[in-house]
Amino acid sequence: MANTMKSSAVSLAGKKRNKGKSWTSQFVRNYQLHLFMLIPIAYIIIFNYVPMFGIQIAFKNFSPGKGIWGSPWAGLVHFQTFFKSYQFQRVIVNTLRISIYSLLVNFPLPIVLALMLNTVRNARFKKTVQTVTYIPYFLSMVVVVGMLVQFLNPMTGVYGTVYRLITGSASYPPSIIQKPGSFIHLYVWSGVWQYLGWNSIIYIAALSGVDPQLHEAAQIDGASRFKRILTVDLPAIIPTISVLLILNAGSLMSVGFEKVYLMQNNLNLMQSEVISTYVYKVGLTSGMGNFSYATAIGLFNSIINCILLVLVNWLSKKTSENSTSLW
Amino acid sequence: MAILATKKNKIQDSAEDKVLYAVVNTFLIVFMLVVAYPLIFVLSSSFSSGEAVSAGRVLLWPVDFSVRGYEAVFKHKNILTGYRNTLLYTVIGTMFNIAVTMICAYPLSRRDMQWKRFYMIIFVITMYFGGGLIPTYIVINKLGLINTFWVMVVPGLMGVYNMIVARTFIMSTIPLEVLESAQIDGCSDVHYFFRIVLPLSKAIIAVMGLFYGVGHWNAYFNAMIYLSEPKRYPLQLILRQILVLNQVNYNDMMDPELIAANIGMADLLKFSLIVVATLPILAIYPFAQKYFIKGIMVGSLKG
């Protein structure tokens, strides 16, 4: 995109030299560069393109002995099984619930935080807040979920201690972790704890590009600081917001595997089983027989994701036409 | 000009503005404390006694200061193995990541590279489409990588996004004239890479090294799928067993005296373990912070 502009200006020099030469002679001249590409291309083919061809087992009855190509065709059987299974509705609903809730919470909060940080006049204070709130981003998922389990332990965790302090009773409170309904809240808000600070960086960067003269002009016109947030700061980051919104909305049907899987237990499975964890369980933890079925579910998910992305793109094009006419 | 304005501003703060600043500062302080408290709590607990931890007596600062939790961690056989494995996966994995990312980014950054577009398309497609979990597993199984050291390095050899960031960096920081004059002096493409491109790309190599390194250190998913021998487990899998699945195997604590000593050890061990497992990352954090932020800037602007 950006580089096509650069390369068109620059390739003139290259073109002059290549004029009238066949691709073989250019290949010979570039052979060292092509050699460089050997390992990356081999890597990408083996670990990305070969598996793509392997998707065909979604339409086959895969057996390890016969391999991907030799296994007999099964048509759409696996898709039908999935649509009819009692898990179908559950995993779809759970996936959508979690991702929509997550989007509603995790999308606006970093914007608010960035706007707040931007109004802080004490540079030292601002820097301290940033340094502290970025730390959790670097913790591993296992550590974060482990901390959550430890904190919410009714007997030894902070939750139990505080509960006993407040109620004054000696008995232990009911477990939160094992309550199915609390899963989604724990998932989303622990995510806020871990990523809110980090996610605000991109908006802070956009805000730092705001021309101070705009603020001065608004001040002279008597605008309060709050007014200036709404009329100067916010409009400056609207483009960033809309790009990120499109990217986020395009992945509504995919909830990351790592954290959900760690937070699952037998009691909250009703609410916490999502597509990615279900694919993993069907495919890799219940014996070899279900490779094809798991691939079919994964493929179904990818197709929905593709449709969503195209849809959101189309929508954003429509609205951006409107918005340019609005502003 | 700007400084003058803010100075003047300080005198002229209207009542409305004062309220806003107060509200904002309060919010930020509360948020910072909410983020920091769990971290401080973990650290304090790890330096307390097992009895104080399981009785819930630790609230903010260490109670009955002790380092027995750390003693237990360093006597735990699986944790030590996991730590060693993770160090190996991280160091060797990151070295391979950087090497492959750079040798891929360099030719694609050259404006006179033949079939550059074609190569780029091949890579970019994989950012949007993939084989998914099971087909990838079948391929890796077929290659005989399951349960080997290399399964932790090779399948994630290069992140396409990182490669594009590195390529953009090379294109925007090394002027074309450098290449031309080097070529006039008879410098070959390989020499140019090692003598010019690599030394001038130190900044981006540092950024990528940090991102790849933290990724390796924190990852557990690939290990869980592809490794079944406990002796190859990375630290995160051991952590998962102890922290999340709550499987503290007392037989793994090699000191029988320690086991008998107290049952509260299990909780204490967990907190010390969290600290030990996170320490390397937090140790580089102060140095890395500005690079990380620079890294996402480069990515977000040009990606």
Side-chain angles (χ1 to χ4, degrees), chain B:
Chain B
M1 208 29 213
I3 298 165
L4 262 179
T6 46
K7 262 190 189 156
K8 210 168 64 187
N9 209 10
K10 238 173 211 162
I11 306 161
Q12 292 180 340
D13 269 356
S14 67
E16 194 190 337
D17 283 1
K18 271 183 199 154
V19 172
L20 178 83
Y21 287 126
V23 169
V24 164
N25 286 348
T26 317
F27 260 107
L28 290 178
I29 289 171
V30 169
F31 175 54
M32 186 167 69
L33 292 180
V34 166
V35 171
Y37 177 69
L39 303 172
I40 296 171
F41 180 83
V42 168
L43 199 60
S44 300
S45 297
S46 74
F47 282 110
S48 300
S49 72
E51 187 270 324
V53 167
S54 43
R57 285 199 286 125
V58 180
L59 279 177
L60 184 63
W61 301 116
V63 176
D64 304 339
F65 184 89
S66 88
V67 289
R68 305 215 57 173
Y70 291 96
E71 284 171 14
V73 166
F74 288 111
K75 280 180 183 153
H76 197 290
K77 192 174 68 211
N78 285 356
I79 294 175
L80 289 184
T81 322
Y83 217 89
R84 206 203 57 218
N85 286 340
T86 294
L87 269 178
L88 272 178
Y89 297 145
T90 304
V91 171
I92 296 180
T94 307
M95 273 165 30
F96 273 87
N97 287 147
I98 292 174
V100 175
T101 307
M102 289 310 287
I103 63 168
C104 186
Y106 162 61
L108 294 176
S109 73
R110 285 274 298 263
R111 275 100 182 178
D112 55 342
M113 171 72 177
Q114 188 186 21
W115 306 334
K116 193 180 65 182
R117 266 197 108 81
F118 167 72
Y119 283 131
M120 274 306 279
I121 290 169
I122 286 186
F123 287 110
V124 171
I125 285 176
T126 65
M127 292 173 82
Y128 298 97
F129 303 98
L133 180 69
I134 305 295
T136 311
Y137 181 86
I138 294 175
V139 169
I140 286 172
N141 192 17
K142 198 105 198 168
L143 291 171
L145 283 173
I146 303 285
N147 263 329
T148 62
F149 173 84
W150 293 105
V151 82
M152 298 303 292
V153 174
V154 177
L157 200 55
M158 184 183 83
V160 172
Y161 178 77
N162 285 332
M163 185 275 285
I164 292 175
V165 171
R167 166 180 177 267
T168 314
F169 179 90
I170 298 173
M171 283 171 76
S172 58
T173 52
I174 305 176
L176 192 67
E177 288 76 16
V178 177
L179 174 67
E180 281 170 353
S181 56
Q183 278 176 336
I184 289 168
D185 288 345
C187 179
S188 74
D189 293 334
V190 175
H191 267 101
Y192 181 72
F193 176 64
F194 286 106
R195 297 270 170 83
I196 312 272
V197 175
L198 278 189
L200 288 178
S201 305
K202 273 183 200 139
I204 195 74
I205 290 175
V207 171
M208 283 193 315
L210 290 169
F211 270 109
Y212 279 128
V214 171
H216 279 293
W217 189 273
N218 284 343
Y220 82 92
F221 183 59
N222 277 1
M224 186 176 79
I225 303 178
Y226 300 131
L227 298 179
S228 57
E229 288 174 13
K231 68 166 197 227
R232 294 194 189 280
Y233 279 179
L235 186 59
Q236 298 296 333
L237 274 193
I238 312 284
L239 279 179
R240 174 171 164 259
Q241 287 176 347
I242 295 175
L243 293 178
V244 181
L245 305 180
N246 214 353
Q247 300 165 345
V248 181
N249 188 352
Y250 290 96
N251 295 327
D252 286 341
M253 289 189 197
M254 286 185 290
D255 189 346
E257 204 188 316
L258 210 62
I259 306 162
N262 46 41
I263 291 300
M265 211 60 211
D267 277 305
L268 181 58
L269 174 82
K270 287 177 191 169
F271 286 114
S272 308
L273 185 54
I274 290 176
V275 176
V276 171
T278 317
L279 210 60
I281 287 177
L282 292 187
I284 59 160
Y285 174 68
F287 309 101
Q289 196 191 1
K290 66 168 191 226
Y291 282 117
F292 269 116
I293 294 164
K294 228 178 250 169
I296 45 169
M297 291 316 169
V298 175
S300 60
L301 293 177
K302 312 272 174 71

Side-chain angles (χ1 to χ4, degrees), chain A residues 3 49 131 140 150 219 258, chain B residues 122 167 220 236 267 285:
Chain A
N3 52 311
Y49 284 91
T131 306
S140 76
Q150 206 58 28
Q219 250 176 324
E258 298 211 349
Chain B
I122 286 186
R167 166 180 177 267
Y220 82 92
Q236 298 296 333
D267 277 305
Y285 174 68

Side-chain angles (χ1 to χ4, degrees), chain A residues 47-313:
Chain A
F47 290 99
N48 285 280
Y49 284 91
V50 175
M52 276 188 225
F53 284 102
I55 290 176
Q56 57 178 286
I57 65 168
F59 306 97
K60 288 180 164 183
N61 282 322
F62 179 77
S63 75
K66 289 175 189 157
I68 290 172
W69 296 97
S71 298
W73 290 99
L76 296 172
V77 174
H78 301 299
F79 292 92
Q80 284 161 351
T81 320
F82 179 52
F83 296 148
K84 279 186 205 143
S85 91
Y86 73 101
Q87 287 278 16
F88 174 70
Q89 201 194 346
R90 186 198 279 182
V91 295
I92 301 272
V93 168
N94 283 342
T95 307
L96 279 175
R97 266 179 65 232
I98 294 172
S99 66
I100 290 174
Y101 183 17
S102 198
L103 182 71
L104 288 179
V105 172
N106 281 313
F107 190 72
L109 283 182
I111 301 172
V112 175
L113 179 65
L115 288 172
M116 282 186 165
L117 277 169
N118 195 51
T119 59
V120 170
R121 287 180 296 184
N122 182 338
R124 229 228 218 96
F125 175 57
K126 183 180 172 185
K127 182 94 188 139
T128 314
V129 175
Q130 285 177 291
T131 306
V132 171
T133 56
Y134 295 166
I135 293 176
Y137 172 84
F138 296 96
L139 303 183
S140 76
M141 220 46 116
V142 181
V143 162
V144 169
V145 175
M147 279 168 66
L148 201 64
V149 171
Q150 206 58 28
F151 276 65
L152 295 177
N153 189 319
M155 282 182 273
T156 60
V158 178
Y159 162 62
T161 315
V162 170
Y163 179 90
R164 271 170 291 160
L165 269 181
I166 292 174
T167 59
S169 69
S171 61
Y172 297 123
S175 170
I176 298 184
I177 285 266
Q178 292 181 336
K179 211 174 118 210
S182 61
F183 167 81
I184 191 170
H185 302 292
L186 292 178
Y187 176 85
V188 170
W189 290 98
S190 63
V192 170
W193 178 79
Q194 195 179 5
Y195 294 123
L196 176 52
W198 186 260
N199 285 344
S200 68
I201 293 178
I202 193 156
Y203 298 111
I204 292 172
L207 281 169
S208 68
V210 175
D211 188 349
Q213 290 186 341
L214 283 174
H215 276 288
E216 281 167 26
Q219 250 176 324
I220 291 166
D221 287 346
S224 69
R225 188 67 186 90
F226 183 67
K227 196 97 194 215
R228 280 186 283 134
I229 290 179
L230 296 181
T231 53
V232 179
D233 291 338
L234 195 58
I237 56 172
I238 290 282
T240 316
I241 293 176
S242 53
V243 169
L244 289 181
L245 188 60
I246 293 167
L247 289 176
N248 277 310
S251 55
L252 265 186
M253 267 290 270
S254 41
V255 169
F257 173 93
E258 298 211 349
K259 191 168 172 192
V260 174
Y261 185 71
L262 286 172
M263 287 182 67
Q264 279 178 348
N265 54 47
N266 288 333
L267 292 167
N268 68 18
L269 216 50
M270 286 282 287
Q271 308 255 351
S272 65
E273 191 79 288
V274 296
I275 299 177
S276 55
T277 55
Y278 186 56
V279 168
Y280 167 72
K281 285 174 192 168
V282 167
L284 292 180
T285 60
S286 55
M288 297 294 258
N290 286 325
F291 270 16
S292 287
Y293 183 45
T295 309
I297 302 169
L299 180 60
F300 167 75
N301 194 12
S302 307
I303 291 170
I304 301 278
N305 279 338
C306 263
I307 294 171
L308 262 176
L309 196 73
V310 172
L311 204 74
V312 172
N313 248 336

